[in-house]
Amino acid sequence: MFSYRHAFHAGNFADVLKHFVQVEIISHLQKKDAPFDYIDTHAGAGMYRLQSDMAQKNQEYLNGIGKLQGNDALSELAPYLALIDDFNPGGRLQNYPGSPMIAAQMLRPQDKGWLFELHPRDAEHLSKNFAGNRNCRVRVEDGFKGLNGLLPTQSRRALVLIDPPYEQKEDYQRVVAALTLIHRKMATATVAIWYPVVERKRIDSLEKQIAATGIRKIELFELGIRAESEGHGMTSSGMIVVNPPWTLKEKMQALLPKLAQLLSEDGAAHFRCETLAGE
C-alpha cells in the first residue's frame, strides 16, 4: 500500500489541472475576509525537486509544467504560473510544489491548513517542509479517517482536496464515502476530488456513485493528452468539484481546449467540462 510516490509524477499534466483548480478555489474563498480551512487528505511530500532521480525517471513534468512556464499564451494560467515561479527564482524550473505547499503559499494568517500523509517517507519530508509553519498542521495518519474529527470546521468554510493514488480499488469507494461524510457534516464545504483515467469504466462508475448521493452543485473537468488505451497508464485526469466557485466552469471552458491542444502527445487531445449535478 506504500508503493506510490508522487515524486515520479510531480509537475505532469495532471498536476497542472489539479493545481490550477486548487488555486482558483482558494482565490475565490479569499474574496471574503472570513477565515477558512484547507484540508489535504493525501498531502504527499509537499515539495519536489525536478532533478531528483525519481522525477528524472520518466520526466513527466516536461509535458506538464515544463511546457507552460514562461508561456504567456494562456492568460488564464497566470496566477498558477506566478505561484510556481515563486519556488523557482531566476526562472529556471527546478522545483515543483505539491498541493499542500501551494495552499500554504496562499493561506492568510487567519486561515488554517490540515495536511494528512500516511506514507512514512513522504510524511517525514512533509513534516520537515512545514516545520515552523504556524498555519499548517501535519498529521501522519489516514486522511480519509481524519476527516471525521475535523468537520465541521470552526471557520465553517473549507476546501477539502481529495487525491488518493487509487492504488487500491477500494480508494474509489472511499472517495464516495468521504464525500458523503463531508456533505453530512459540512454541506457548504467545497470538495475537490482528483481522479486518473487508467480504466474508463472505473471513472464511469465513480461518476454514477457520486451522482447517486443526491448531492447538488457538482462540476467535472477532465484533461486528456493521449488516446484512451487500457494498460498503458494514465491517459487523462480530472477534477470533480462540489460547491465550486461560480466563475470556475467559465474559466475551464476557455482553458481546457487550449491546454489539451498544447499538451497532447499523439494528436488525440480531449477534454470534458460538464455539470454532474445542478443547483
Side-chain angles (χ1 to χ4, degrees):
M1 65 179 293
F2 289 139
S3 60
Y4 180 85
R5 303 293 299 279
H6 192 68
F8 289 104
H9 315 289
N12 67 1
F13 78 96
D15 266 0
V16 170
L17 175 65
K18 175 171 62 178
H19 294 147
F20 173 78
V21 170
Q22 178 191 13
V23 169
E24 287 296 312
I25 294 172
I26 292 177
S27 296
H28 182 78
L29 287 169
Q30 291 179 335
K31 289 183 178 180
K32 294 183 178 180
D33 291 334
F36 70 92
D37 289 73
Y38 170 78
I39 304 171
D40 201 320
T41 63
H42 296 75
M47 179 65 75
Y48 305 94
R49 293 187 305 105
L50 297 180
Q51 300 307 311
S52 70
D53 291 341
M54 284 190 282
Q56 286 295 312
K57 183 173 182 179
N58 295 314
Q59 297 185 319
E60 292 186 22
Y61 68 92
L62 292 179
N63 197 47
I65 188 61
K67 282 189 175 179
L68 300 175
Q69 192 189 37
N71 188 329
D72 297 327
L74 302 180
S75 58
E76 299 89 350
L77 287 174
Y80 158 70
L81 293 178
L83 192 149
I84 302 301
D85 285 343
D86 288 343
F87 294 94
N88 293 279
R92 184 182 176 190
L93 186 60
Q94 295 180 306
N95 304 299
Y96 191 82
S99 53
M101 194 62 72
I102 286 175
Q105 186 79 347
M106 299 182 72
L107 294 183
R108 304 162 301 181
Q110 65 266 40
D111 304 322
K112 294 180 181 178
W114 307 88
L115 315 177
F116 292 90
E117 180 53 48
L118 197 55
H119 191 291
R121 290 294 303 279
D122 282 350
E124 180 183 354
H125 290 310
L126 184 68
S127 296
K128 289 180 179 178
N129 284 328
F130 281 86
N133 187 306
R134 296 183 178 181
N135 286 74
C136 298
R137 293 171 173 81
V138 174
R139 294 190 171 180
V140 185
E141 58 182 287
D142 186 331
F144 284 127
K145 295 180 179 179
L147 283 172
N148 190 51
L150 283 180
L151 301 175
T153 64
Q154 186 176 1
S155 68
R156 300 289 172 171
R157 304 174 70 225
L159 164 59
V160 183
L161 177 63
I162 303 175
D163 61 337
Y166 297 95
E167 280 186 302
Q168 301 174 323
K169 295 178 181 179
E170 292 79 7
D171 278 351
Y172 293 91
Q173 282 67 53
R174 297 190 78 193
V175 163
V176 178
L179 177 58
T180 303
L181 171 71
I182 295 166
H183 185 71
R184 175 171 59 84
K185 300 194 73 171
M186 192 174 174
T188 58
T190 296
V191 186
I193 300 168
W194 176 82
Y195 66 84
V197 180
V198 179
E199 297 178 75
R200 174 59 67 179
K201 63 183 180 181
R202 292 198 183 280
I203 304 308
D204 291 341
S205 176
L206 178 64
E207 289 180 34
K208 290 178 181 178
Q209 291 181 68
I210 289 177
T213 63
I215 297 171
R216 312 306 299 169
K217 293 190 284 187
I218 307 177
E219 293 176 354
L220 178 148
F221 310 107
E222 187 176 293
L223 172 64
I225 63 168
R226 64 178 74 92
E228 291 187 9
S229 177
E230 292 188 14
H232 291 83
M234 181 174 62
T235 59
S236 310
S237 80
M239 296 291 287
I240 295 173
V241 185
V242 179
N243 292 325
W246 66 271
T247 55
L248 185 59
K249 187 173 184 181
E250 183 179 355
K251 289 185 178 182
M252 297 305 286
Q253 287 173 327
L255 174 64
L256 284 175
K258 294 182 282 188
L259 200 57
Q261 191 65 37
L262 179 63
L263 300 182
S264 173
E265 292 185 350
D266 57 8
H270 53 282
F271 63 92
R272 297 170 63 197
C273 189
E274 303 172 10
T275 297
L276 294 185
E279 296 283 346

